[in-house]
Amino acid sequence: IDFDDGNCPTFHNQIKGIHNVILAVNNRLPGVPHISQAPVLMLRPRAWNMVEHNMMVEGKEAPGPLFDFGLLMYHCGRTLLKHQSGPFLYLSKVESLMEARLWNNIFVWTQQKLGLPLGCIKATVLIENVLATFEMEEILYELREHSAGLNCGIWDYSASFVNKFGHRQDFLLPDRSKYVNMEKRFLRSYMDLLVQTCHRRGALATGGMAAPLLPQSQQTDSYSRVLASVERLKLLEINAGVDGFMVYDMNLIKPMQELFELHTEGDNQLHQVRDDVSVTPQDLLSMPSGGVTLYGLKYNIAVGVLFINAWLSGKGHFFYRGQVEDSATAEISRSQVWQWIRHQARLEDDGRVVSRQLVTELTKELRTDLSPLCHSERTKQKLHTAADMFLEVVLKRHFPEFITSYLNMDHTFLSSQSTREEETVEAGRQRAKL
């Protein structure tokens, strides 16, 4: 249940999402099985970089993760425990053992306040920051009885290199569409180390999300091609020893389960302790070789602009060229464009320098191409605003740490929320009159 990467944190979305969880947990959603028989819910609150503008505590805006966690635990914690369905949490963007310790203190305090047994809350931590990779043992230890393992992803993790080291030429990340995947040394080493660290401690290790969408017709070449691509990359994770991973397209669940059954034995791979692995800091910090393509630059610009456009529409994800895009892919996209401009990377196609002027021209070109698809003057204006905001982010001298917190503090986004909520209220009044 994602309140983070795939969610736009408007107040309406947060409250509606939490309300939906409460309905599901209390068996009040029509056609949905009882919580004890339903698939397990993993609740992902916002990360520490987000604040909740609509709640003040002692004169300060509440941290977004505590707002989400508090409401979910207060309303659902006891019921989830009673039916042996949780509460299970998924913690994103944890950067250090100190943040894990903070979460552990929060869990202990919450269990005491709600009269729940110590250790009933279980949390999987996403290792999606390069600094956290060097503290995985400590993060597991800090959460101790609350730990459900660690997770490795690709795009937020790759973006963290730009976030932390992007000002250095030796950390220039090449075109992600051509040169960055889990087979590369720095990502493969990170996954191997995560699996080894978890399994040595008896904790579960999970892989990233398969973002592609399967074509509707199974009889087409494109369906076979997409499925084969997903299977190849996920088999890499299975062979590394992961105990599970995520898919966005529900139609991928069955073929992925069959892949697991074919290549593993039992419910998990905890027996794969990976004693063959010996990862060094050099392995984790070695950037893949490669350059920048015009296609990759345009793709990154499109994902960045369309993500901001989705947020201005109150949506946290969108579909583009056959796969789902969210804040993780937007993060790596805008990070790469910023870094390529800073280090004056050259295009492999024609040798042009990735400059402020070139990025501005390509962004305007994208805006022109997408404008005919806008159904009204208002949606066209929103697209133009999104393009301007994207340029503002990538042309900044200093790197904004998170695109989500940058947007969440932006006047344009906040005012667009107010406008949408007023329209919703007005529409409700009109329906009531009818």
Side-chain angles (χ1 to χ4, degrees), residues 21 32 58 62 117 129 138 155 160 163 168 183 192 229 298 304-305 314 316 329 341 353-354 365 376 386 409-410:
V21 175
V32 172
E58 296 180 359
N129 186 286
E138 292 85 347
W155 297 130
S160 76
N163 189 330
R168 290 172 52 177
E183 293 169 295
D192 285 343
S229 172
K298 285 183 172 181
V305 170
T329 51
I341 292 171
V353 171
V354 180
E365 190 180 295
S376 67
M409 302 303 290
D410 190 273

Side-chain angles (χ1 to χ4, degrees), residues 147-325:
S147 180
L150 305 176
N151 167 273
C152 62
I154 179 171
W155 297 130
D156 268 319
Y157 183 74
S158 298
S160 76
F161 279 79
V162 183
N163 189 330
K164 301 302 178 186
F165 312 128
H167 57 287
R168 290 172 52 177
Q169 180 80 36
D170 51 330
F171 281 96
L172 186 66
L173 196 63
D175 194 329
R176 73 181 179 101
S177 59
K178 186 175 180 181
Y179 297 110
V180 182
N181 56 55
M182 291 306 288
E183 293 169 295
K184 299 302 177 184
R185 179 183 169 194
F186 82 115
L187 291 172
R188 182 62 194 258
S189 301
Y190 146 68
M191 180 167 61
D192 285 343
L193 181 62
L194 185 141
V195 171
Q196 183 190 62
T197 304
C198 286
H199 288 183
R200 278 180 174 175
R201 303 291 180 185
L204 297 171
T206 49
M209 185 180 75
L213 306 168
L214 287 173
Q216 288 188 331
S217 173
Q218 296 187 17
Q219 315 308 320
T220 59
D221 288 342
S222 59
Y223 181 93
S224 304
R225 191 166 59 251
V226 171
L227 183 57
S229 172
V230 173
E231 285 181 337
R232 186 181 70 81
L233 290 172
K234 288 304 168 188
L235 189 55
L236 188 77
E237 294 183 20
I238 290 172
N239 290 336
V242 301
D243 303 294
F245 47 70
M246 292 171 290
V247 296
Y248 181 85
D249 190 333
M250 303 288 272
N251 293 318
L252 278 168
I253 292 175
K254 190 168 183 289
M256 292 303 105
Q257 284 180 329
E258 289 170 353
L259 200 65
F260 257 107
E261 287 165 9
L262 191 62
H263 295 277
T264 65
E265 295 176 9
D267 295 334
N268 54 57
Q269 299 202 79
L270 286 173
H271 58 282
Q272 299 275 11
V273 291
R274 298 304 310 271
D275 285 333
D276 58 308
V277 169
S278 178
V279 175
T280 66
Q282 288 72 31
D283 292 328
L284 294 170
L285 299 173
S286 63
M287 291 291 91
S289 56
V292 180
T293 67
L294 182 60
Y295 171 86
L297 178 58
K298 285 183 172 181
Y299 189 91
N300 279 345
I301 291 171
V303 170
V305 170
L306 291 171
F307 174 75
I308 296 172
N309 186 63
W311 261 51
L312 294 176
S313 309
K315 297 179 180 130
H317 62 280
F318 62 97
F319 306 109
Y320 184 63
R321 296 192 178 176
Q323 57 184 32
V324 64
E325 308 280 357

